[in-house]
Amino acid sequence: MYVPFVNLEVMHNEIRNEIFNKFMEVYNNNWFILGNEVKSFEEEFADFCNARYCIGCGNGLDALYLILRGYEIGVGDEVIVPSNTYIATSLAVSYAGAKPIFVEPDINSYNMDTDLIEQAITDRTKAIIAVHLYGQPAEMSRINYIAQKHNIKVIEDSAQAHGAIYKNRKTGSLGDAAGFSFYPGKNLGALGDAGAVVTNDEELADKIRAIANYGSRRKYYNRYKGTNSRLDEVQAAILRIKLKQLNKWNEFRDKIAQRYLEGINNSQIVKPHIGDYTTKHAWHLFVVRSEGRDDFQKYLNDSGIGTVIHYPIPMHLQEAYSDMNFTRGDFPIAEKISTEVLSIPLWYGMKEEEIQYVIDTINAWR
Ligand SMILES: *Cc1c(COP(=O)(O)O)cnc(C)c1O
Protein backbone atom coordinates (compact mmCIF):
# COMPACT_ATOMS: atom_id res chain seq x y z
CA MET A 1 0.00 0.00 0.00
CA TYR A 2 1.13 3.57 -0.65
CA VAL A 3 0.04 6.30 1.78
CA PRO A 4 1.32 9.75 0.81
CA PHE A 5 2.21 12.23 3.55
CA VAL A 6 -0.44 14.62 2.28
CA ASN A 7 -3.08 14.52 -0.44
CA LEU A 8 -5.43 17.43 -1.13
CA GLU A 9 -7.32 15.63 -3.89
CA VAL A 10 -10.31 14.33 -1.93
CA MET A 11 -10.86 17.74 -0.34
CA HIS A 12 -10.58 19.56 -3.65
CA ASN A 13 -12.75 17.13 -5.60
CA GLU A 14 -15.65 17.67 -3.19
CA ILE A 15 -15.73 21.43 -3.83
CA ARG A 16 -14.55 21.41 -7.44
CA ASN A 17 -17.73 22.76 -9.05
CA GLU A 18 -18.34 25.37 -6.40
CA ILE A 19 -14.76 26.63 -6.78
CA PHE A 20 -14.94 26.70 -10.58
CA ASN A 21 -18.27 28.57 -10.56
CA LYS A 22 -16.96 31.07 -8.06
CA PHE A 23 -13.79 31.56 -10.05
CA MET A 24 -15.92 32.35 -13.11
CA GLU A 25 -17.90 34.87 -11.08
CA VAL A 26 -14.73 36.68 -9.93
CA TYR A 27 -13.35 36.51 -13.45
CA ASN A 28 -16.50 38.09 -14.85
CA ASN A 29 -16.50 40.81 -12.18
CA ASN A 30 -13.08 42.04 -13.38
CA TRP A 31 -12.20 43.31 -9.88
CA PHE A 32 -9.20 41.52 -8.43
CA ILE A 33 -7.73 43.47 -5.49
CA LEU A 34 -9.51 44.60 -2.29
CA GLY A 35 -13.08 43.95 -3.37
CA ASN A 36 -16.18 42.29 -1.94
CA GLU A 37 -14.76 38.76 -1.70
CA VAL A 38 -11.91 39.96 0.52
CA LYS A 39 -14.28 42.04 2.63
CA SER A 40 -16.68 39.12 3.10
CA PHE A 41 -13.91 36.65 3.87
CA GLU A 42 -12.46 39.01 6.47
CA GLU A 43 -15.84 39.26 8.21
CA GLU A 44 -16.42 35.51 8.06
CA PHE A 45 -12.95 34.57 9.29
CA ALA A 46 -13.08 37.11 12.16
CA ASP A 47 -16.41 35.50 13.14
CA PHE A 48 -14.89 32.04 12.92
CA CYS A 49 -12.16 33.13 15.38
CA ASN A 50 -14.65 34.95 17.63
CA ALA A 51 -12.64 38.11 17.07
CA ARG A 52 -13.67 41.56 15.82
CA TYR A 53 -11.26 42.30 12.98
CA CYS A 54 -9.53 40.36 10.23
CA ILE A 55 -7.19 41.85 7.64
CA GLY A 56 -6.25 39.65 4.68
CA CYS A 57 -2.62 39.75 3.56
CA GLY A 58 -0.12 37.99 1.31
CA ASN A 59 0.98 35.09 3.54
CA GLY A 60 1.59 34.01 7.12
CA LEU A 61 5.05 35.53 7.38
CA ASP A 62 3.63 38.91 6.34
CA ALA A 63 0.79 38.59 8.86
CA LEU A 64 3.31 38.36 11.73
CA TYR A 65 5.48 41.09 10.20
CA LEU A 66 2.48 43.41 9.81
CA ILE A 67 1.50 42.92 13.46
CA LEU A 68 5.05 43.86 14.57
CA ARG A 69 4.99 46.92 12.28
CA GLY A 70 1.55 47.84 13.59
CA TYR A 71 2.91 47.85 17.13
CA GLU A 72 6.02 49.75 15.94
CA ILE A 73 8.33 46.97 17.06
CA GLY A 74 11.64 47.15 15.18
CA VAL A 75 15.30 48.11 15.45
CA GLY A 76 16.61 47.87 19.02
CA ASP A 77 13.66 45.77 20.22
CA GLU A 78 13.54 42.14 21.27
CA VAL A 79 10.76 39.66 20.65
CA ILE A 80 10.50 36.28 22.37
CA VAL A 81 9.92 33.36 20.01
CA PRO A 82 10.13 29.57 20.48
CA SER A 83 13.41 27.83 19.66
CA ASN A 84 11.23 25.05 18.24
CA THR A 85 9.08 26.40 15.40
CA TYR A 86 8.97 26.96 11.68
CA ILE A 87 11.52 29.67 10.82
CA ALA A 88 8.83 32.10 9.60
CA THR A 89 8.03 33.00 13.24
CA SER A 90 11.58 34.18 13.79
CA LEU A 91 12.08 35.65 10.32
CA ALA A 92 9.09 37.96 10.84
CA VAL A 93 10.96 39.46 13.82
CA SER A 94 14.21 39.81 11.85
CA TYR A 95 12.34 41.27 8.88
CA ALA A 96 10.83 43.94 11.18
CA GLY A 97 14.39 44.81 12.29
CA ALA A 98 14.03 43.44 15.82
CA LYS A 99 15.97 40.63 17.51
CA PRO A 100 14.41 37.22 18.08
CA ILE A 101 15.09 35.78 21.55
CA PHE A 102 14.67 32.01 21.57
CA VAL A 103 12.95 30.17 24.39
CA GLU A 104 13.04 26.39 24.77
CA PRO A 105 9.95 24.22 24.35
CA ASP A 106 8.32 21.89 26.82
CA ILE A 107 9.31 18.35 25.80
CA ASN A 108 5.72 17.09 26.11
CA SER A 109 3.69 19.77 24.34
CA TYR A 110 6.56 20.97 22.05
CA ASN A 111 5.22 24.49 22.69
CA MET A 112 7.19 27.20 24.49
CA ASP A 113 8.05 26.31 28.10
CA THR A 114 6.30 29.09 30.00
CA ASP A 115 8.61 28.63 33.02
CA LEU A 116 11.49 29.92 30.87
CA ILE A 117 9.86 33.05 29.46
CA GLU A 118 10.46 35.52 32.30
CA GLN A 119 14.21 34.97 32.41
CA ALA A 120 14.34 35.88 28.71
CA ILE A 121 12.59 39.22 29.20
CA THR A 122 14.76 42.37 29.25
CA ASP A 123 13.90 46.07 29.11
CA ARG A 124 14.07 45.78 25.31
CA THR A 125 11.42 43.06 25.10
CA LYS A 126 8.32 44.28 23.30
CA ALA A 127 6.37 41.11 22.54
CA ILE A 128 6.08 37.34 22.83
CA ILE A 129 5.11 35.33 19.76
CA ALA A 130 3.34 32.18 20.95
CA VAL A 131 3.18 29.45 18.32
CA HIS A 132 0.39 26.86 18.48
CA LEU A 133 2.74 24.24 17.14
CA TYR A 134 1.33 21.30 15.17
CA GLY A 135 -2.18 22.64 15.98
CA GLN A 136 -2.07 22.47 19.77
CA PRO A 137 -2.64 25.81 21.52
CA ALA A 138 0.26 27.25 23.52
CA GLU A 139 -0.33 27.82 27.23
CA MET A 140 -1.95 31.21 26.65
CA SER A 141 -3.24 32.10 30.15
CA ARG A 142 0.25 31.91 31.57
CA ILE A 143 1.77 33.75 28.59
CA ASN A 144 -0.83 36.54 28.84
CA TYR A 145 -0.23 36.79 32.59
CA ILE A 146 3.54 37.18 32.12
CA ALA A 147 3.06 39.67 29.27
CA GLN A 148 0.67 41.83 31.29
CA LYS A 149 3.07 41.88 34.21
CA HIS A 150 5.85 43.17 31.93
CA ASN A 151 3.60 45.35 29.77
CA ILE A 152 4.45 43.59 26.50
CA LYS A 153 2.29 42.34 23.62
CA VAL A 154 1.22 38.77 22.94
CA ILE A 155 1.11 37.71 19.31
CA GLU A 156 -0.25 34.32 18.31
CA ASP A 157 1.35 32.48 15.40
CA SER A 158 -1.78 30.57 14.46
CA ALA A 159 -0.49 29.32 11.10
CA GLN A 160 -0.99 25.70 12.21
CA ALA A 161 -4.06 26.14 14.39
CA HIS A 162 -7.15 27.28 12.44
CA GLY A 163 -10.07 26.21 14.60
CA ALA A 164 -8.05 25.00 17.59
CA ILE A 165 -9.66 25.79 20.94
CA TYR A 166 -7.90 26.69 24.20
CA LYS A 167 -10.00 26.63 27.39
CA ASN A 168 -13.14 27.00 25.25
CA ARG A 169 -11.74 29.95 23.27
CA LYS A 170 -10.65 29.92 19.64
CA THR A 171 -7.07 30.55 18.64
CA GLY A 172 -6.83 33.94 16.98
CA SER A 173 -8.64 35.57 19.90
CA LEU A 174 -6.25 34.57 22.69
CA GLY A 175 -3.64 37.36 22.60
CA ASP A 176 -3.38 40.93 21.31
CA ALA A 177 -3.23 39.85 17.67
CA ALA A 178 -2.79 36.67 15.65
CA GLY A 179 -1.16 35.80 12.34
CA PHE A 180 -2.66 33.09 10.14
CA SER A 181 -1.25 31.43 7.04
CA PHE A 182 -3.43 29.98 4.29
CA TYR A 183 -0.58 28.18 2.55
CA PRO A 184 -2.22 25.32 0.59
CA GLY A 185 -1.23 22.59 3.06
CA LYS A 186 -2.55 24.34 6.20
CA ASN A 187 -5.88 23.30 7.76
CA LEU A 188 -7.45 26.18 5.82
CA GLY A 189 -5.45 26.65 2.64
CA ALA A 190 -5.78 28.85 -0.43
CA LEU A 191 -4.74 27.75 -3.93
CA GLY A 192 -1.55 29.74 -3.54
CA ASP A 193 -0.11 32.03 -0.90
CA ALA A 194 -2.41 33.93 1.46
CA GLY A 195 -2.59 35.00 5.09
CA ALA A 196 -4.46 37.15 7.59
CA VAL A 197 -4.15 39.14 10.79
CA VAL A 198 -6.91 38.68 13.36
CA THR A 199 -7.34 41.04 16.33
CA ASN A 200 -9.81 42.76 18.66
CA ASP A 201 -7.66 45.90 18.65
CA GLU A 202 -9.43 48.41 16.41
CA GLU A 203 -6.54 50.86 16.19
CA LEU A 204 -4.10 48.08 15.29
CA ALA A 205 -6.48 46.69 12.66
CA ASP A 206 -6.88 50.07 11.03
CA LYS A 207 -3.13 50.68 10.99
CA ILE A 208 -2.25 47.22 9.62
CA ARG A 209 -4.83 47.62 6.86
CA ALA A 210 -2.94 50.75 5.79
CA ILE A 211 0.58 49.31 6.20
CA ALA A 212 -0.34 46.30 4.07
CA ASN A 213 -1.52 48.65 1.33
CA TYR A 214 1.57 50.86 0.84
CA GLY A 215 0.90 52.65 4.11
CA SER A 216 -2.13 54.32 2.61
CA ARG A 217 -5.71 54.72 3.80
CA ARG A 218 -6.61 57.03 0.92
CA LYS A 219 -5.14 56.32 -2.50
CA TYR A 220 -1.91 58.27 -3.16
CA TYR A 221 -1.84 59.69 0.40
CA ASN A 222 0.75 57.60 2.28
CA ARG A 223 0.85 57.79 6.03
CA TYR A 224 3.37 54.97 6.65
CA LYS A 225 6.34 53.46 4.81
CA GLY A 226 4.14 50.51 4.11
CA THR A 227 4.45 47.39 2.07
CA ASN A 228 2.31 45.58 -0.47
CA SER A 229 0.79 42.50 1.13
CA ARG A 230 -2.83 42.04 0.14
CA LEU A 231 -5.14 39.09 -0.09
CA ASP A 232 -6.55 38.96 -3.62
CA GLU A 233 -10.15 38.41 -4.68
CA VAL A 234 -9.58 34.98 -6.25
CA GLN A 235 -7.91 33.54 -3.14
CA ALA A 236 -10.47 35.18 -0.83
CA ALA A 237 -13.34 33.68 -2.84
CA ILE A 238 -11.74 30.22 -2.62
CA LEU A 239 -11.08 30.64 1.10
CA ARG A 240 -14.75 31.54 1.69
CA ILE A 241 -15.82 28.26 0.12
CA LYS A 242 -13.24 26.30 2.09
CA LEU A 243 -14.03 28.03 5.38
CA LYS A 244 -17.56 26.58 5.24
CA GLN A 245 -15.99 23.09 5.26
CA LEU A 246 -13.30 23.73 7.86
CA ASN A 247 -15.13 22.35 10.90
CA LYS A 248 -15.96 19.16 8.98
CA TRP A 249 -12.36 18.79 7.79
CA ASN A 250 -11.00 19.42 11.28
CA GLU A 251 -13.40 16.80 12.72
CA PHE A 252 -12.06 14.32 10.17
CA ARG A 253 -8.49 15.13 11.19
CA ASP A 254 -9.47 14.61 14.81
CA LYS A 255 -10.93 11.17 14.03
CA ILE A 256 -7.65 10.08 12.41
CA ALA A 257 -5.68 11.45 15.36
CA GLN A 258 -7.88 9.52 17.82
CA ARG A 259 -7.34 6.31 15.81
CA TYR A 260 -3.56 6.89 15.93
CA LEU A 261 -3.59 7.72 19.65
CA GLU A 262 -5.53 4.54 20.42
CA GLY A 263 -3.90 2.27 17.85
CA ILE A 264 -0.19 3.10 18.00
CA ASN A 265 1.29 1.10 20.87
CA ASN A 266 4.95 0.66 19.95
CA SER A 267 6.97 1.38 23.10
CA GLN A 268 9.74 2.98 20.98
CA ILE A 269 7.34 5.69 19.83
CA VAL A 270 6.29 8.73 21.86
CA LYS A 271 2.83 9.90 20.83
CA PRO A 272 1.60 13.52 21.02
CA HIS A 273 0.67 14.73 24.49
CA ILE A 274 -2.55 16.70 24.77
CA GLY A 275 -2.57 19.39 27.46
CA ASP A 276 -5.56 19.53 29.82
CA TYR A 277 -6.09 23.14 28.67
CA THR A 278 -6.54 21.96 25.08
CA THR A 279 -10.26 21.92 24.34
CA LYS A 280 -9.62 21.17 20.67
CA HIS A 281 -6.37 20.29 18.91
CA ALA A 282 -6.40 21.30 15.22
CA TRP A 283 -4.15 18.35 14.28
CA HIS A 284 -2.35 20.26 11.58
CA LEU A 285 0.33 17.62 12.06
CA PHE A 286 0.47 14.31 13.90
CA VAL A 287 4.02 14.20 15.20
CA VAL A 288 5.56 11.17 16.87
CA ARG A 289 8.99 11.02 18.43
CA SER A 290 11.57 8.26 18.59
CA GLU A 291 15.24 7.55 19.04
CA GLY A 292 16.60 6.21 15.77
CA ARG A 293 14.22 8.54 13.94
CA ASP A 294 16.14 8.39 10.67
CA ASP A 295 15.92 4.57 10.62
CA PHE A 296 12.25 4.81 11.48
CA GLN A 297 11.65 7.25 8.63
CA LYS A 298 13.50 5.01 6.19
CA TYR A 299 11.49 2.00 7.38
CA LEU A 300 8.20 3.84 6.83
CA ASN A 301 9.35 5.11 3.46
CA ASP A 302 10.33 1.56 2.40
CA SER A 303 6.84 0.47 3.52
CA GLY A 304 5.20 3.09 1.27
CA ILE A 305 4.32 5.61 4.00
CA GLY A 306 5.20 9.25 3.38
CA THR A 307 6.59 11.25 6.32
CA VAL A 308 8.12 14.69 6.89
CA ILE A 309 10.38 16.06 9.66
CA HIS A 310 8.96 19.22 11.28
CA TYR A 311 11.64 20.53 11.71
CA PRO A 312 15.15 19.12 11.13
CA ILE A 313 17.15 22.22 12.22
CA PRO A 314 16.20 24.47 15.15
CA MET A 315 16.32 28.25 14.69
CA HIS A 316 19.64 28.86 16.47
CA LEU A 317 21.49 26.37 14.24
CA GLN A 318 20.10 27.67 10.95
CA GLU A 319 22.72 29.17 8.69
CA ALA A 320 20.48 32.23 8.34
CA TYR A 321 21.08 32.94 12.04
CA SER A 322 24.80 32.14 12.10
CA ASP A 323 25.37 35.85 12.89
CA MET A 324 23.93 35.20 16.36
CA ASN A 325 26.87 32.86 17.07
CA PHE A 326 24.96 30.05 18.73
CA THR A 327 26.39 26.56 18.85
CA ARG A 328 25.06 23.05 19.31
CA GLY A 329 24.09 22.59 22.95
CA ASP A 330 22.68 26.10 23.41
CA PHE A 331 19.06 24.93 23.10
CA PRO A 332 19.27 21.22 23.92
CA ILE A 333 15.52 20.50 24.02
CA ALA A 334 14.89 22.02 20.60
CA GLU A 335 17.93 20.09 19.34
CA LYS A 336 16.67 16.80 20.79
CA ILE A 337 13.23 17.35 19.28
CA SER A 338 14.76 18.09 15.88
CA THR A 339 16.54 14.72 15.88
CA GLU A 340 13.54 12.67 17.09
CA VAL A 341 10.31 14.03 15.57
CA LEU A 342 8.51 12.63 12.55
CA SER A 343 5.14 13.65 11.11
CA ILE A 344 2.96 10.84 9.76
CA PRO A 345 0.12 11.06 7.20
CA LEU A 346 -3.01 12.88 8.36
CA TRP A 347 -5.28 14.41 5.73
CA TYR A 348 -8.96 14.76 4.89
CA GLY A 349 -10.19 11.74 2.97
CA MET A 350 -7.73 9.13 4.31
CA LYS A 351 -9.38 5.74 4.06
CA GLU A 352 -9.83 3.43 7.04
CA GLU A 353 -7.48 0.84 5.51
CA GLU A 354 -4.81 3.51 5.00
CA ILE A 355 -5.08 4.64 8.63
CA GLN A 356 -4.92 1.01 9.83
CA TYR A 357 -1.93 0.30 7.58
CA VAL A 358 -0.03 3.25 9.09
CA ILE A 359 -0.83 2.00 12.62
CA ASP A 360 0.11 -1.63 11.88
CA THR A 361 3.33 -0.64 10.11
CA ILE A 362 4.41 1.62 12.99
CA ASN A 363 3.59 -1.07 15.57
CA ALA A 364 5.68 -3.62 13.66
CA TRP A 365 8.84 -1.47 13.73
CA ARG A 366 11.81 -3.24 15.48
C1 LIG B 1 3.32 28.07 7.63
C2 LIG B 1 3.80 28.77 8.82
C3 LIG B 1 4.13 30.14 8.79
C4 LIG B 1 4.26 30.94 7.54
O1 LIG B 1 3.21 30.96 6.68
P1 LIG B 1 3.44 31.31 5.13
O2 LIG B 1 2.07 31.55 4.64
O3 LIG B 1 4.11 30.15 4.50
O4 LIG B 1 4.28 32.55 5.08
C5 LIG B 1 4.44 30.76 9.98
N1 LIG B 1 4.49 30.09 11.13
C6 LIG B 1 4.22 28.78 11.20
C7 LIG B 1 4.27 28.09 12.53
C8 LIG B 1 3.88 28.07 10.05
O5 LIG B 1 3.64 26.76 10.12
Side-chain angles (χ1 to χ4, degrees):
M1 196 181 297
Y2 173 63
V3 187
F5 175 68
V6 67
N7 179 356
L8 301 176
E9 206 176 316
V10 181
M11 174 187 277
H12 284 166
N13 277 342
E14 284 183 8
I15 52 174
R16 182 184 208 86
N17 288 339
E18 203 180 346
I19 297 257
F20 280 25
N21 289 336
K22 192 74 192 186
F23 176 74
M24 238 166 348
E25 194 185 312
V26 175
Y27 188 82
N28 290 333
N29 280 342
N30 282 300
W31 187 286
F32 300 107
I33 298 288
L34 300 183
N36 289 330
E37 294 295 338
V38 169
K39 191 165 180 295
S40 298
F41 172 72
E42 288 176 340
E43 286 168 12
E44 288 157 10
F45 194 65
D47 265 4
F48 178 83
C49 297
N50 295 322
R52 286 167 68 198
Y53 308 101
C54 170
I55 305 101
C57 65
N59 54 65
L61 171 69
D62 282 358
L64 297 170
Y65 166 75
L66 288 166
I67 295 167
L68 294 166
R69 283 288 311 270
Y71 282 132
E72 296 179 10
I73 296 170
V75 176
D77 297 330
E78 293 178 355
V79 176
I80 291 175
V81 301
S83 58
N84 181 46
T85 179
Y86 179 57
I87 197 168
T89 316
S90 176
L91 285 179
V93 176
S94 305
Y95 187 21
K99 184 180 177 190
I101 302 295
F102 303 121
V103 166
E104 285 273 71
D106 173 81
I107 189 67
N108 294 312
S109 70
Y110 307 126
N111 278 324
M112 196 149 50
D113 184 341
T114 50
D115 287 339
L116 302 177
I117 294 176
E118 278 201 287
Q119 66 196 53
I121 293 178
T122 70
D123 52 9
R124 292 168 177 247
T125 310
K126 293 287 154 54
I128 302 170
I129 305 185
V131 181
H132 308 308
L133 200 65
Y134 309 146
Q136 169 148 252
E139 213 183 311
M140 294 303 293
S141 312
R142 184 85 196 284
I143 293 170
N144 283 328
Y145 172 81
I146 294 167
Q148 257 166 27
K149 194 166 135 192
H150 295 271
N151 196 24
I152 58 180
K153 300 293 179 192
V154 174
I155 299 166
E156 294 174 78
D157 181 341
S158 296
Q160 303 190 354
H162 319 69
I165 301 176
Y166 171 86
K167 291 184 179 170
N168 297 313
R169 287 172 57 201
K170 283 268 179 76
T171 56
S173 66
L174 300 169
D176 292 294
F180 282 89
S181 163
F182 306 119
Y183 179 82
K186 309 285 180 173
N187 289 37
L188 177 62
L191 303 183
D193 277 316
V197 172
V198 170
T199 182
N200 286 319
D201 182 339
E202 185 177 7
E203 200 185 314
L204 179 77
D206 185 49
K207 195 164 165 185
I208 285 178
R209 200 175 284 290
I211 293 170
N213 190 26
Y214 294 108
S216 160
R217 289 192 177 90
R218 180 176 164 207
K219 207 165 191 180
Y220 308 128
Y221 290 76
N222 300 72
R223 168 82 186 274
Y224 311 102
K225 292 191 188 75
T227 184
N228 174 8
S229 183
R230 299 175 298 217
L231 178 62
D232 66 68
E233 287 286 286
V234 172
Q235 297 302 344
I238 286 158
L239 286 167
R240 290 184 69 198
I241 292 169
K242 287 187 155 193
L243 181 58
K244 290 188 288 178
Q245 308 289 329
L246 183 55
N247 285 334
K248 182 176 98 178
W249 292 341
N250 276 351
E251 288 306 318
F252 196 99
R253 301 181 91 91
D254 189 62
K255 288 222 172 67
I256 301 170
Q258 297 312 322
R259 290 276 289 110
Y260 283 161
L261 288 170
E262 285 159 22
I264 296 171
N265 58 20
N266 184 327
S267 62
Q268 311 289 316
I269 304 293
V270 180
K271 292 181 279 189
H273 177 268
I274 297 155
D276 49 18
Y277 48 79
T278 300
T279 313
K280 198 168 269 189
H281 195 309
W283 296 114
H284 173 57
L285 296 169
F286 193 97
V287 178
V288 297
R289 190 157 61 81
S290 172
E291 283 177 25
R293 186 268 318 275
D294 294 346
D295 285 344
F296 180 49
Q297 183 176 34
K298 185 173 183 306
Y299 162 81
L300 291 178
N301 187 54
D302 291 346
S303 310
I305 296 172
T307 58
V308 177
I309 298 166
H310 296 96
Y311 298 92
I313 302 173
M315 299 310 95
H316 67 291
L317 298 178
Q318 290 284 0
E319 203 177 334
Y321 283 116
S322 57
D323 58 339
M324 293 180 90
N325 293 313
F326 287 116
T327 55
R328 202 165 287 281
D330 286 340
F331 295 91
I333 301 173
E335 290 167 25
K336 178 180 166 68
I337 288 170
S338 71
T339 62
E340 295 187 350
V341 287
L342 192 65
S343 306
I344 62 175
L346 190 157
W347 35 271
Y348 178 75
M350 264 181 96
K351 293 196 188 76
E352 172 52 33
E353 58 264 34
E354 292 171 322
I355 299 167
Q356 192 60 50
Y357 178 68
V358 173
I359 293 170
D360 292 341
T361 308
I362 289 176
N363 288 343
W365 183 52
R366 281 182 177 167

